[in-house]
Amino acid sequence: MSQKPPACNDFQLGAKKALDNKRLQAQLARTLKEGFQYKRRKGMSRLPEYDALRDRARDIKNHTLDHLDAYLERFEDEVTKAGGHVHWAETPAQARDIILDICINVDAKTVSKGKSMISEEIALNDHLAANGIQPIETDLGEYIIQLRDEPPSHIIAPAFHISKEQVADTFREHHTHLKAERDLSAPTDLLNEARGELRQKFLNADVGITGANILIAETGTALIVTNEGNGDLTQSLPPVHIAVTSIEKVVPTLEDATTLLRLLARTATGQEMTVYTTFFTGAKRIDELDGPREFHIVLLDNKRSNMLGGPFHDVLRCIRCGACMNHCPVYASVSGHAYGWVYPGPIGSVLNPQLLGIEQAHVLPNASTLCGRCEEVCPVHIPLPDLLRTWRKRAFEAGKIGGLHRLGLNLWAWLAHRPLAYRLVTRFKLRLLRLLAGKRGRFRWFIGAGGWTKTRDLPAPQAANKHGGTFMDRYKRGER
Amino acid sequence: MNDSRTRIMGRLKAALDQRHNPTVRFSGADQRMKSLPAGLIPKRGQAEGPARIAMFVDEAERAETRVVRLGGMAQVPAAAAKICQEAGSGSLKIAPHPDLQGLDWSAQDVAFGIGAGDDLVGLSRAYAGVAETGTLVLRSGADSPTTLNFLPDVHVVVILAEEIKANYEDVWAMLRAAAPDLGPMLPRTINWITGPSRTADIEQTILLGAHGPRKLMILLIDETA
């Protein structure tokens, strides 16, 4: 994918586009409600210890973050002992250059890639391609969006927004060496074609690049989870394997990683366990018949160290399961592209302002109703609504909230500090609205409420008789 | 690059020193990696005896794995021959594991070695099984090439009933006990495999056989059965 500049602040534009797209709306309903949400509930119901495991997972991550430098040091030692190389990258640019250097050193022409959000975060593919190295995404969803030159719309289902007919068109456009009249009507036809196309590319790749879901300090091990087996082929076939990940992914022990794994797939897709969980430690051993002779791991910071101990500390617990976006009513209406950068949904609205700067993403924290479902389903109890509120406050303080908005808030604050005036004004407003609404008691159209009245009437408040009135009227009557 | 490390570590230290002093912090981390506190093992992960085997089979089948029970290792070649026939494969690629090399393969076309892009059927030897989720554990080594777990269309794995553990933690304990005195504790690769390869990337329809095996078969050797 050629990465476009962040467009988080164009959220409203993207949201409108998504809301007007009927096909996308149907895909969203099917994927989220009937798909991920239902599957997670079913998965949870098979494990009575699910909630207790969430508490454990939170505690493990908290403990690790409190000792992060110690665990990273141990991780580095163990990787080195196992014949691997650890690289530290402060910025996306450094991470890209480290990876490019490794590829150039082995004279790489093509690189096979397992799915990695950090690779998206650092816009790795563009950098490799610009330097004459062809990156090939191998996760089916990532492969489809790479061909279509689109960003992922979900962190674990990157192409869910694309229909099978669109996939067929894309394959016809790109796999031109295959017969034009072939049948691509069924999803299995598409899968088999992609499998055929990618098989040789796996075998020919000079370097394999994957992410890492979890790092284990005790043994210097990294792990990936995949259902397709693509990440696993990427890490075992090419002579060089590079794993690119971020510093907060480390946990102390194999047992700790196991606790997280009991939650990850179940929360994400409702599976008992992802089909393939692959743990890798260092380079190919002397007596082994396969595996990469060179192993590198790139540890990206990209402002995470600044979050440690600060107001956004809790975000560092995230295991990227996608549950927050799967259950978010806003994400479920606008899908991932509206968020304008790598991480969509509630986690993106908290993370993107941190990674890109508030200037570039101050709109996102407002793309939420603060309904709290994201926190409710988070396997590591990240208080996402609180963090969104913190960003809103910061955006306001940074002057990012526009004039009219600010004026309204100031006016309201002025009134709210003066109870008598507040009561007078609300009573007046109520009467006025009653009057304007006439006998119907409803508005077909109302200034500033076009979004509401497009599909339904806006009810006027009840008159100040024995049933209605302002809050204070009713409070005085003893309604409580 | 080393400067990056220094700067990242410096920032972590600055933030963490406000919570604990570094000596306490480093010894706390060390202590945890020595004492290895047990995780919360679900009740489902504590089955014993025949119930454990039954759970392994049940969970494996739930993940679309096919389980064939055999009375002894000697029956493996015939079972493998049948699978090859079903898959329309004239040959079988086998992991060079002594248990498998020691069997009588004279009746079929077999080769021992790593996985190749055109292998139709591959046969491996499991290190352990996890009853909790019907998961196979394979570890890389001279006798167990990782590529054989992913390249064949049909992946067949031999496991003994007594190798099936109740939970993942018991398998870590086995690996800890088997760790060499020198060098890394774990082999280069450990694969947990729970069912055949699949994808839901086309309209969220689950399809088997994405890039890895289209079929996963377990030959469960239970001499008491």
Side-chain angles (χ1 to χ4, degrees), chain A residues 48-337:
Chain A
E49 295 87 351
Y50 182 79
D51 276 327
L53 280 163
R54 289 168 73 187
D55 295 346
R56 290 281 184 127
R58 175 201 54 208
D59 296 346
I60 288 169
K61 289 297 263 187
N62 280 344
H63 166 89
T64 314
L65 292 172
D66 280 347
H67 300 74
L68 191 55
D69 55 349
Y71 287 120
L72 286 171
E73 230 169 68
R74 170 69 176 264
F75 176 77
E76 181 182 38
D77 284 352
E78 295 295 328
V79 173
T80 312
K81 260 198 256 172
H85 304 274
V86 179
H87 307 264
W88 301 76
E90 277 189 284
T91 62
Q94 278 177 10
R96 289 193 295 263
D97 286 338
I98 291 166
I99 295 169
L100 180 64
D101 279 350
I102 299 168
C103 292
I104 289 173
N105 265 336
V106 295
D107 202 16
K109 302 280 180 295
T110 67
V111 166
S112 59
K113 289 189 69 212
K115 186 169 155 35
S116 152
M117 289 310 294
I118 297 293
S119 158
E120 298 282 343
E121 185 178 323
I122 66 173
L124 179 61
N125 287 359
D126 286 353
H127 193 60
L128 293 177
N131 287 280
I133 295 165
Q134 191 197 358
I136 301 156
E137 293 289 350
T138 62
D139 170 84
L140 181 58
E142 289 281 345
Y143 177 65
I144 293 167
I145 61 171
Q146 187 185 29
L147 293 181
R148 295 171 62 88
D149 195 23
E150 282 186 34
S153 60
H154 189 286
I155 65 169
I156 67 163
F160 86 86
H161 61 287
I162 298 166
S163 70
K164 63 179 196 292
E165 290 77 20
Q166 288 174 303
V167 177
D169 290 345
T170 304
F171 282 7
R172 281 187 205 286
E173 188 189 326
H174 288 270
H175 303 158
T176 44
H177 55 284
L178 299 174
K179 277 189 198 143
E181 65 273 19
R182 68 196 187 278
D183 184 11
L184 288 178
S185 52
T188 37
D189 301 329
L190 298 167
L191 173 63
N192 286 336
E193 181 160 316
R195 182 183 168 109
E197 286 299 300
L198 284 166
R199 182 50 69 104
Q200 206 53 44
K201 294 187 166 141
F202 275 121
L203 294 163
N204 293 347
D206 302 304
V207 174
I209 301 180
T210 65
N213 295 77
I214 301 175
L215 308 174
I216 300 155
E218 167 203 14
T219 53
T221 301
L223 72 88
I224 53 172
V225 296
T226 83
N227 278 316
E228 299 184 5
N230 64 311
D232 321 86
L233 285 167
T234 304
Q235 76 88 31
S236 56
L237 286 171
V240 178
H241 174 208
I242 308 172
V244 53
T245 189
S246 50
I247 54 171
E248 84 284 12
K249 301 255 161 65
V250 72
V251 296
T253 67
L254 293 163
E255 285 75 4
D256 293 327
T258 304
T259 297
L260 299 188
L261 287 169
R262 282 200 177 96
L263 289 168
L264 179 57
R266 195 176 298 275
T267 309
T269 60
Q271 283 171 286
E272 293 295 319
M273 193 50 69
T274 316
V275 174
Y276 302 112
T277 305
T278 291
F279 301 77
F280 41 93
T281 311
K284 170 179 182 285
R285 306 293 158 76
I286 204 148
D287 62 336
E288 283 185 336
L289 305 173
D290 56 11
R293 61 176 155 75
E294 253 182 62
F295 172 68
H296 300 266
I297 188 150
V298 181
L299 299 176
L300 175 72
D301 178 355
N302 196 19
K303 302 184 183 155
R304 287 163 175 81
S305 56
N306 297 334
M307 297 165 85
L308 197 67
F312 299 102
H313 179 91
D314 290 335
V315 174
L316 297 172
R317 287 202 297 269
C318 178
I319 57 173
R320 305 283 191 269
C321 68
C324 60
M325 58 199 75
N326 292 342
H327 293 77
C328 175
V330 176
Y331 180 94
S333 306
V334 305
S335 184
H337 289 169

Side-chain angles (χ1 to χ4, degrees), chain B residues 77-147:
Chain B
K82 202 168 151 231
I83 293 166
C84 286
Q85 202 186 2
E86 276 172 23
S89 172
S91 63
L92 173 68
K93 181 67 72 65
I94 308 176
H97 189 285
D99 287 358
L100 303 176
Q101 284 171 319
L103 299 171
D104 176 11
W105 296 104
S106 55
Q108 43 196 305
D109 179 10
V110 301
F112 292 89
I114 66 171
D118 53 359
D119 285 336
L120 280 179
V121 186
L123 180 70
S124 312
R125 183 74 177 85
Y127 178 71
V130 179
E132 189 177 345
T133 49
T135 299
L136 290 163
V137 180
L138 286 96
R139 52 137 195 70
S140 68
D143 55 2
S144 180
T146 302
T147 46

Side-chain angles (χ1 to χ4, degrees), chain A residues 236-459:
Chain A
S236 56
L237 286 171
V240 178
H241 174 208
I242 308 172
V244 53
T245 189
S246 50
I247 54 171
E248 84 284 12
K249 301 255 161 65
V250 72
V251 296
T253 67
L254 293 163
E255 285 75 4
D256 293 327
T258 304
T259 297
L260 299 188
L261 287 169
R262 282 200 177 96
L263 289 168
L264 179 57
R266 195 176 298 275
T267 309
T269 60
Q271 283 171 286
E272 293 295 319
M273 193 50 69
T274 316
V275 174
Y276 302 112
T277 305
T278 291
F279 301 77
F280 41 93
T281 311
K284 170 179 182 285
R285 306 293 158 76
I286 204 148
D287 62 336
E288 283 185 336
L289 305 173
D290 56 11
R293 61 176 155 75
E294 253 182 62
F295 172 68
H296 300 266
I297 188 150
V298 181
L299 299 176
L300 175 72
D301 178 355
N302 196 19
K303 302 184 183 155
R304 287 163 175 81
S305 56
N306 297 334
M307 297 165 85
L308 197 67
F312 299 102
H313 179 91
D314 290 335
V315 174
L316 297 172
R317 287 202 297 269
C318 178
I319 57 173
R320 305 283 191 269
C321 68
C324 60
M325 58 199 75
N326 292 342
H327 293 77
C328 175
V330 176
Y331 180 94
S333 306
V334 305
S335 184
H337 289 169
Y339 290 81
W341 198 57
V342 175
Y343 300 102
I347 187 68
S349 297
V350 172
L351 210 50
N352 296 352
Q354 175 71 30
L355 300 183
L356 298 169
I358 184 82
E359 293 290 323
Q360 295 248 40
H362 60 84
V363 169
L364 289 187
N366 294 294
S368 163
T369 64
L370 300 181
C371 74
R373 284 196 84 191
C374 48
E375 180 174 8
E376 210 176 286
V377 298
C378 177
V380 286
H381 296 295
I382 300 174
L384 288 158
D386 285 350
L387 301 176
L388 287 167
R389 252 183 236 114
T390 307
W391 273 125
R392 286 183 183 188
K393 196 160 160 264
R394 287 195 173 190
F396 188 82
E397 283 162 3
K400 287 292 147 205
I401 305 294
L404 204 61
H405 218 118
R406 196 170 276 272
L407 186 75
L409 283 170
N410 282 337
L411 208 64
W412 181 83
W414 187 89
L415 270 178
H417 280 107
R418 291 160 181 81
L420 204 67
Y422 192 91
R423 277 171 221 170
L424 269 170
V425 170
T426 44
R427 193 160 301 151
F428 171 72
K429 270 200 320 204
L430 186 138
R431 290 217 177 116
L432 185 69
L433 285 173
R434 263 326 294 177
L435 208 68
L436 288 174
K439 273 198 185 122
R440 294 183 67 241
R442 287 197 294 265
F443 295 97
R444 281 211 192 129
W445 177 85
F446 199 80
I447 182 164
W452 175 282
T453 53
K454 197 162 91 182
T455 50
R456 54 209 177 295
D457 287 350
L458 180 73

